[in-house]
Amino acid sequence: MRFWVLGSGSRGNAVLFDDGGARLLVDAGFGVRTLEGRLRAAGVAPESVAACVITHEHVDHVRGAAPAAEQWGWALHASAGTIAACPALGAAGATAFRAGDPLRLPGFDLETAATPHDARESVAVAVTGRATGARAAVCYDLGAATDAVRALLAGAEAVVLEANHDEGMLRAGPYPPSVAARIAGRQGHLSNGAAARLARDVARPGLRQVVLAHLSTQCNAPQLAASAVRDALATTRFRGLVTPAGQDAVLGPVALTARPRGRAAAGQLTLDL
């Protein structure tokens, strides 16, 4: 299985998965022109994507979903709360699920977990490719790590994990106190420190890649986020890569090897930039 982060931040988020030719998108937070450009930069024709799962209704995650479904025939899936909060998804024929429900989509098995965020029914998603058995998780836009989130991430060979802000930069940053409090609150976004603790908690054998996502351009820096997470992981047996994703460039492909039949995989992985 391979995946690409097509871009991640306050202006748009999308993660593409490919397993044996089956293609799935988690979030479509860019306009269709940008989505098409990023997909083609990854060597993928937009019409070859079978399905798109939306994590929540905020515009930087859902902007292009309905237009892309109309233009390229993508099947849309989102929580019932997300569809209720974004009528365009319902109008585009999105299939509803409940946070915590498993999903079986063309080529992929998905697990979902509710996330604490200022959205109607936001979720984190773990994606397992049926052709290879490789597993990766996407976990961003949450203010706190719950037991359900930790369970979802455990066993993943790669994790796309939010590291939104440096706490000191957020306090000293340009946002009004009320906005800064919302960002730092339980319904907001993970700080570098919180992301580091979560990464440390789920650093089971087999985890080989942590991609840091949704970094604030105002209140964070890639080197700060990466350093915090690497320092936390240095206390574990993790020996993989920690890589910040950017807003305006495609990261990947991240290639996960197939799991050996009958036992847990070592999760070898390569990142081609």
Side-chain angles (χ1 to χ4, degrees), residues 208-222:
R208 292 295 179 268
Q209 177 85 30
V210 178
V211 175
L212 303 180
H214 221 300
L215 275 67
S216 170
T217 58
Q218 299 289 327
C219 299
N220 209 353

Side-chain angles (χ1 to χ4, degrees), residues 216-258:
S216 170
T217 58
Q218 299 289 327
C219 299
N220 209 353
Q223 63 272 24
L224 289 176
S227 178
V229 174
R230 287 175 184 140
D231 287 350
L233 288 171
T235 67
T236 73
R237 297 175 63 186
F238 177 82
R239 296 296 180 268
L241 300 175
V242 176
T243 310
Q247 177 70 89
D248 299 315
V250 175
L251 179 119
V254 177
L256 284 68
T257 59

Side-chain angles (χ1 to χ4, degrees), residues 21-238:
R23 286 164 178 165
L24 166 75
L25 207 64
V26 174
D27 285 339
F30 300 98
V32 290
R33 288 186 180 180
T34 300
L35 279 172
E36 180 174 13
R38 303 280 175 94
L39 287 165
R40 293 197 184 280
V44 170
E47 60 271 18
S48 72
V49 175
C52 177
V53 177
I54 304 300
T55 61
H56 63 292
E57 71 272 14
H58 291 167
V59 68
D60 56 323
H61 296 263
V62 76
R63 179 182 285 109
E70 179 179 1
Q71 184 164 336
W72 297 312
W74 297 356
L76 301 180
H77 300 263
S79 72
T82 295
I83 294 172
C86 183
L89 292 175
T95 299
F97 61 86
R98 289 291 179 187
D101 285 352
L103 303 175
R104 186 173 176 86
L105 302 180
F108 299 93
D109 293 317
L110 276 67
E111 300 168 56
T112 65
T115 54
H117 191 51
D118 55 355
R120 284 281 291 274
E121 192 181 1
S122 58
V123 297
V125 179
V127 178
T128 300
R130 286 200 293 276
T132 61
R135 175 185 170 95
V138 178
C139 181
Y140 45 36
D141 286 66
L142 69 165
T146 64
D147 289 343
V149 165
R150 290 186 183 90
L152 185 81
L153 302 187
E157 293 148 70
V159 173
V160 178
L161 177 63
E162 174 171 77
N164 176 256
H165 59 276
D166 172 82
E167 291 177 340
M169 290 181 69
L170 180 63
R171 287 191 296 270
Y175 298 121
S178 60
V179 175
R182 182 189 67 79
I183 292 170
R186 186 175 175 81
Q187 304 298 317
H189 294 271
L190 291 184
S191 67
N192 292 344
R197 292 187 291 274
L198 178 53
R200 181 194 61 204
D201 289 347
V202 301
R204 306 287 192 272
L207 179 64
R208 292 295 179 268
Q209 177 85 30
V210 178
V211 175
L212 303 180
H214 221 300
L215 275 67
S216 170
T217 58
Q218 299 289 327
C219 299
N220 209 353
Q223 63 272 24
L224 289 176
S227 178
V229 174
R230 287 175 184 140
D231 287 350
L233 288 171
T235 67
T236 73
R237 297 175 63 186
F238 177 82

